[in-house]
Amino acid sequence: MNLFFSYSRAQKEEVVDLVDFLSIYHTGWFDSKIGAGVEWWKEILSQIRNCDVFVFVLSDDSNQSKACKAELDYAQRLGKYMVVLQMDTIDPAFFPSSLKAGNVTSYLASESSRKNRLLRSLKEIEDSKKYIWDDSEYDKIVEPPMPISELSAILSEIETGEELSLDEQEKLLNRIERLLAKKEEKLENIIRALELFLNRDDINHIVGKKIDAMLLLFKLDPDPDPVPDPGIDSKPLDNEFPNLVLRDVVSIIEQFTEDKNIGSRLRTQQHNPGFLFGSWRLVKYIQNGQNIPVRMQEIIIFNNNYSFQLIQNNLQTNYGSFMFNQEFLTITFWNGMIDTRSYQCFQTELYLVQYMNNVAFNVYCYTRSF
């Protein structure tokens, strides 16, 4: 049988492996040039029309992919026999509205017999001829237009001649960060989008600094070296606090809290990214020049596998992943939200700073928790 595989780029390795496994018995076709343009989209639709069985790879990513949804809708309107392989644990309530739980076959990586089970299922379909369908009405089925990718939509906003406010720029950057986390676009395409964004005449300083940090992490060093070991010596900060973030931290805490010794204390320490790993307890939170009381126990844990946990009153309230360089700490929460902050990290103290209009608006002060 001819099989068409509809999938998200995040599942490409699994799909390639599956097509190779099934190749002795069936012909498998999948979109190896995702996002390659209008002509390629026409080829995809042609392959869907000519396939015997439409295989939809259900995952968190394909569940949100415009292209996958368009392919699924077209196959259903053609009346194609459908096999749905569930590769991620997804609550049936979040399945595409056109799918029913009874039509979905579990294909989780933890299931060692999943390939052979699928092979037997396809053999039953082939023997029963369930996939045979009258194609005389295909010409009456309207072809779906090529879905506009999220990256294309972002680029159209970046290249607009209209001025973008700070809020619009931050939302646009957040969309790029979410797209990066999904891994559906080639890294070089995202880098190009960031460069175009950075070259806008109205780019805000804070947004520009974040883009610089992303380019440093993903373009200038695509295969970064390990984070410096905490034991590596570095030059202590001089008496003038030339580091902007540290200068902001010192001046704000000296002015709005009782800690008058922070300047002399931090002057004898060194900022080292390698100190970040471990458990930190929030002891001060300053917002817009106001000392906000810390009313609950809050601990943030940065693990060696680059995952983090947020613990509030002994309960985990959030989790996700993180990455960092010498200047910026970027946290990706489980729900996809991404937050980039400037930071200063010492042996026993950690300061996270959020800027607004070039001013340190939020300062979070942590002490190491043992």
Side-chain angles (χ1 to χ4, degrees), residues 156-174:
S156 67
E157 293 190 37
I158 289 175
E159 295 173 342
T160 181
E162 299 179 4
E163 184 174 342
L164 297 175
S165 67
L166 173 60
D167 182 61
E168 290 171 329
Q169 291 183 32
E170 289 180 332
K171 288 180 179 178
L172 200 54
L173 182 58
N174 186 255

Side-chain angles (χ1 to χ4, degrees), residues 68-115:
C68 290
K69 290 179 178 178
E71 292 167 0
L72 175 61
D73 175 69
Y74 187 54
Q76 288 180 319
R77 288 190 290 115
L78 291 173
K80 289 297 179 181
Y81 193 90
M82 199 163 296
V83 171
V84 182
L85 302 180
Q86 183 179 347
M87 288 194 176
D88 286 338
T89 302
I90 305 173
D91 190 298
F94 295 97
F95 286 177
S97 58
S98 56
L99 296 180
K100 304 296 183 183
N103 298 331
V104 177
T105 300
S106 178
Y107 197 82
L108 302 177
S110 58
E111 300 171 345
S112 58
S113 62
R114 64 190 186 283
K115 289 183 180 178

Side-chain angles (χ1 to χ4, degrees), residues 3-7 53-57 81 83-85 122:
L3 311 178
F4 178 95
F5 287 83
S6 177
Y7 72 103
V53 176
F54 181 89
V55 182
F56 186 76
V57 178
Y81 193 90
V83 171
V84 182
L85 302 180
L122 292 173

